[in-house]
Amino acid sequence: MKILLSLFIILFVSSSIYAQKIDFDKKLKDLNIELIAPTKPVANYVKAVRAGNLLFLSGHGPSKPDGTSITGKVGKDLSVEEGYAAARQTGISILSTIKNEIGDLNKVKRIVKVLGMVNCTSDFTDQPKVINGFSDLMVEVFGEKGKHARSAVGMNALPSGITVEIEIVVELID
């Protein structure tokens, strides 16, 4: 009986260890995703704050590698598909900040909570379809650990006219 219990414990521990052995930098490369240089805060705040094993990220927009951002109002200037692409680009910006803050995406245990804000017309109601651009990216990169609780809301305006702003909470491996 002790041998059986010992084997079970060894199997459980080894499967837990192997479950964490995904190289997320390699995964990004396989997905043809290049991280960008994180942008600097535009006011009196920081991009991320760590509290215990949680990392809280300030709102990020769809920053592009050239330093510009995707701007415009979904339902007027951009389609749902273009809004989706902006949310995906925001995800790349967020991944860039996470890596910059903790040094290694392999320290991400789970994406916990997401607040997605869409700059849209007052009659636009497909905010979840837009923010799926971010959520789909997190699942592509982190698998089941990328699934998260989420809110997707419409806004009359966002800073500098950006299309999407997203803030998240990430659980880190101790």
Side-chain angles (χ1 to χ4, degrees):
M1 184 68 170
K2 286 184 179 180
I3 294 172
L4 211 55
L5 183 59
S6 297
L7 284 173
F8 177 74
I9 291 170
I10 290 169
L11 264 170
F12 178 76
V13 169
S14 64
S15 68
S16 295
I17 291 169
Y18 288 116
Q20 281 297 332
K21 293 295 181 186
I22 297 173
D23 181 349
F24 291 113
D25 286 324
K26 183 181 181 321
K27 180 93 177 212
L28 290 174
K29 188 174 183 178
D30 292 345
L31 293 169
N32 292 319
I33 296 170
E34 288 189 40
L35 298 183
I36 61 174
T39 58
K40 303 287 183 217
V42 296
N44 191 18
Y45 67 94
V46 294
K47 297 289 274 190
V49 171
R50 186 171 181 169
N53 67 337
L54 294 177
L55 185 66
F56 295 82
L57 273 74
S58 297
H60 281 61
S63 301
K64 298 189 286 187
D66 66 3
T68 63
S69 294
I70 300 170
T71 59
K73 199 174 276 289
V74 181
K76 178 183 173 196
D77 309 310
L78 297 120
S79 66
V80 170
E81 295 77 19
E82 290 168 318
Y84 179 101
R88 183 177 176 86
Q89 187 62 42
T90 302
I92 293 169
S93 178
I94 285 174
L95 290 173
S96 300
T97 296
I98 293 170
K99 182 162 183 176
N100 188 62
E101 289 292 323
I102 64 173
D104 184 358
L105 291 178
N106 293 305
K107 294 178 183 176
V108 171
K109 186 173 185 179
R110 176 173 195 107
I111 305 299
V112 177
K113 177 72 171 98
V114 172
L115 170 60
M117 297 164 272
V118 180
N119 184 0
C120 59
T121 59
S122 61
D123 62 341
F124 184 80
T125 58
D126 283 334
Q127 292 85 359
K129 290 180 182 175
V130 171
I131 300 302
N132 279 346
F134 175 84
S135 296
D136 291 349
L137 176 64
M138 293 302 109
V139 173
E140 282 179 53
V141 173
F142 296 111
E144 288 297 310
K145 296 187 261 182
K147 290 187 177 178
H148 47 267
R150 182 184 90 178
S151 299
V153 296
M155 298 290 175
N156 179 49
L158 289 172
S160 302
I162 58 176
T163 303
V164 173
E165 183 173 355
I166 298 174
E167 65 177 51
I168 71 169
V169 178
V170 180
E171 182 181 14
L172 304 173
I173 295 170
D174 293 329

